[in-house]
Amino acid sequence: MNNRFLEYLLNNDPQKTLSKNGLAFRRFLNPAFNKIIHFKTPTRLEIVRRAKMPKDRPVIFAATHGFKEDVDNSVMTLGRHAYILVGSLEQFFKTTDGVLAWANGVILVDRTDKESRKASKDKMLHLLKMGGNVLMFPEGTWNLSPNQLVAGIFPGVYDIAKESGALVAPVATHRHGEMVYSILGKAFNITKYERTLGLRVLRDKMATLKWQLMEKKTPVIKRRTLPVGEEADLYWKQQISDLKAEVDYFEHELEEKSVFRHKDIFHKDEVFDFMKRMMPHHKNAFLFNRKLT
């Protein structure tokens, strides 16, 4: 499939990709669109909790991201219309997912292009100022971490909320078997906090909702039934491989580069990289002691 007729959405001019008429038409179609999504999605959705959203201000919905159907299920969870920020261009242009996203309302971003990333912010601001809402996934890519409920989130959500006056509402989805569970949290003014703290508060809210879904809707697993050591690593790698295989186009290199990492966080390889360039000397001999690494 080749959705070439949708390439105009990559234009960096908000006026050429968004309009008041398009917004009004998609709002009108939203109830019917959600029914189509409901029948299209292979999983069943249970909305555990849905906070009431304010009607006098636009909302940026900030959702967790970690499996194929979470976009569809997040859309159905909102209870109101929102344009989706989409950065998976291969999936968008080469599958029916792209046509459905366009029918709902979409803002495209080429994550490899600096101008496109900037334009996506301009488009979201344009949409919010028209009274529309935005559904975005501020982790930037699927969270495939073995231990983080929510990965680091990009600061764009804060900047857009500050400039537009929009509120931010956390959304969490969790899949278990053929069921997907979701919660829409209360909308809040993220800009009452300074930028770093505001992003931390949002991430905590998203992670709390995710934890509540896992705690309430996932059966308790006894630790002794889980693999350990190398078997645990292989088990997790297989889980990730199976997740990626669910989508037609998973851009591995791009998705790995799209993980947000704060400048103060370093990987183990980076921490010990200096040792590759260090000349052995009696004063630094202790650093070469393998027991320390």
Side-chain angles (χ1 to χ4, degrees), residues 149-150 172 174 183 205-218:
L149 292 177
V150 175
H174 175 64
I183 297 177
K205 287 179 180 291
M206 294 168 65
T208 297
L209 298 185
K210 184 81 171 181
W211 172 256
Q212 289 173 354
L213 291 174
M214 294 171 65
E215 187 177 39
K216 293 178 180 179
K217 297 299 181 178
T218 304

Side-chain angles (χ1 to χ4, degrees), residues 1 8 14 23 27 58 75 100 202 270:
M1 189 169 187
Y8 78 95
L23 172 60
R27 274 180 171 164
V75 167
L100 287 170
L202 173 58
E270 294 172 322

Side-chain angles (χ1 to χ4, degrees), residues 74-94:
S74 294
V75 167
M76 291 188 287
T77 298
L78 303 186
R80 61 162 47 176
H81 178 256
Y83 274 59
I84 312 166
L85 178 64
V86 173
S88 299
L89 299 185
E90 287 282 308
Q91 188 75 9
F92 181 83
F93 283 114
K94 295 182 179 180

